[in-house]
Amino acid sequence: AQKITQTQPGMFVQEKEAVTLDCTYDTSDQSYGLFWYKQPSSGEMIFLIYQGSYDEQNATEGRYSLNFQKARKSANLVISASQLGDSAMYFCAMREPYYNTDKLIFGTGTRLQVFP
Amino acid sequence: DAMVIQNPRYQVTQFGKPVTLSCSQTLNHNVMYWYQQKSSQAPKLLFHYYDKDFNNEADTPDNFQSRRPNTSFCFLDIRSPGLGDAAMYLCATSRDWGRPNTEAFFGQGTRLTVV
């Protein structure tokens, strides 16, 4: 069963507009972490933002914020004031620590294209 | 300064010829991951280490093996590469769960070509 679901294969947004990238997840654990990574065409994986399962407030990092709805098991990324350099693949990921294991698994990704 | 270093950046190997990819880290992280990423796809977890404990994903082919001789180094061995194993291989490290800054740090990847 898919643990991380990103239903938007591609998204377009105009420069300076906000965009929301969707992510839903599935876990029975109480303790887990949710991450968003950006992967430009160069291939590097760039960490953007983190939300812990026990965090009560939504995470924010500059222009990035995470809309965390625990009951709905969603962790959507909001990018405010999009820039041309935001064009990239965006991956949602979940970390599930359990005894001597500590998996980090990724969703299928969303390709974001920002146009002038 | 690079904190997770993968060597080589590009590797060409012959069909069926064993190949080893390496990853080193200067972060002293106890968790290390190996991912396979094919073009326009998500990184697929192959295995990970929690300290010395090795955890294999159920769908990782037996053709893929790994070694972690110490905290700093980790190797991915492909015993008999097939054309379908051509991909980018990503190594990542992370701190213990529950400590600050629990994000994974990625290397630049090794792009494997099988001819």
Side-chain angles (χ1 to χ4, degrees):
Chain A
Q2 189 79 344
K3 285 260 190 172
I4 304 281
T5 303
Q6 295 181 252
T7 57
Q8 306 154 315
M11 290 283 284
F12 288 89
V13 65
Q14 191 166 29
E15 197 177 9
K16 300 180 185 176
E17 296 294 311
V19 63
T20 298
L21 306 184
D22 295 340
C23 173
T24 58
Y25 61 93
D26 182 27
T27 182
S28 55
D29 293 340
Q30 296 300 309
S31 180
Y32 54 90
L34 298 157
F35 303 81
W36 278 91
Y37 282 84
K38 172 184 177 181
Q39 189 176 43
S41 55
S42 57
E44 61 193 301
M45 293 290 279
I46 302 168
F47 165 72
L48 297 177
I49 196 167
Y50 161 76
Q51 180 87 40
S53 58
Y54 293 117
D55 294 340
E56 294 185 353
Q57 290 192 324
N58 287 343
T60 59
E61 290 285 350
R63 294 187 298 112
Y64 304 107
S65 61
L66 201 152
N67 184 359
F68 181 48
Q69 297 187 44
K70 192 171 182 177
R72 299 176 66 178
K73 294 187 176 178
S74 73
N76 299 339
L77 177 70
V78 181
I79 305 174
S80 63
S82 297
Q83 301 172 357
L84 295 178
D86 294 335
S87 296
M89 281 291 289
Y90 288 80
F91 291 102
C92 180
M94 180 169 66
R95 184 170 175 182
E96 295 180 292
Y98 186 74
Y99 290 109
N100 64 342
T101 72
D102 197 345
K103 290 189 181 185
L104 176 67
I105 57 173
F106 285 80
T108 51
T110 296
R111 183 172 297 280
L112 177 66
Q113 292 188 305
V114 182
F115 59 94
Chain B
D1 290 340
M3 297 175 286
V4 183
I5 301 166
Q6 292 188 243
N7 283 306
R9 291 288 308 278
Y10 301 91
Q11 175 75 56
V12 180
T13 191
Q14 290 181 330
F15 182 95
K17 183 175 181 181
V19 65
T20 295
L21 311 181
S22 73
C23 177
S24 64
Q25 55 138 334
T26 59
L27 299 164
N28 205 33
H29 287 170
N30 63 328
V31 185
M32 290 188 80
Y33 305 94
W34 276 108
Y35 293 90
Q36 178 192 65
Q37 186 177 26
K38 297 190 176 180
S39 182
S40 300
Q41 295 185 20
K44 178 181 179 301
L45 182 63
L46 295 175
F47 19 65
H48 75 280
Y49 285 89
Y50 187 90
D51 288 327
K52 294 183 179 179
D53 292 323
F54 174 71
N55 296 280
N56 201 27
E57 291 301 293
D59 57 354
T60 298
D62 292 340
N63 199 24
F64 291 84
Q65 304 286 319
S66 183
R67 297 169 283 136
R68 189 179 186 185
N70 54 52
T71 300
S72 301
F73 287 88
C74 196
F75 300 96
L76 170 62
D77 301 308
I78 309 177
R79 294 193 293 191
S80 182
L83 298 178
D85 297 328
M88 176 74 85
Y89 289 87
L90 297 169
C91 172
T93 73
S94 188
R95 288 174 179 260
D96 272 344
W97 178 253
R99 298 180 64 178
N101 304 321
T102 57
E103 73 270 23
F105 292 79
F106 282 80
Q108 297 274 58
T110 294
R111 183 167 297 281
L112 179 69
T113 302
V114 182
V115 298

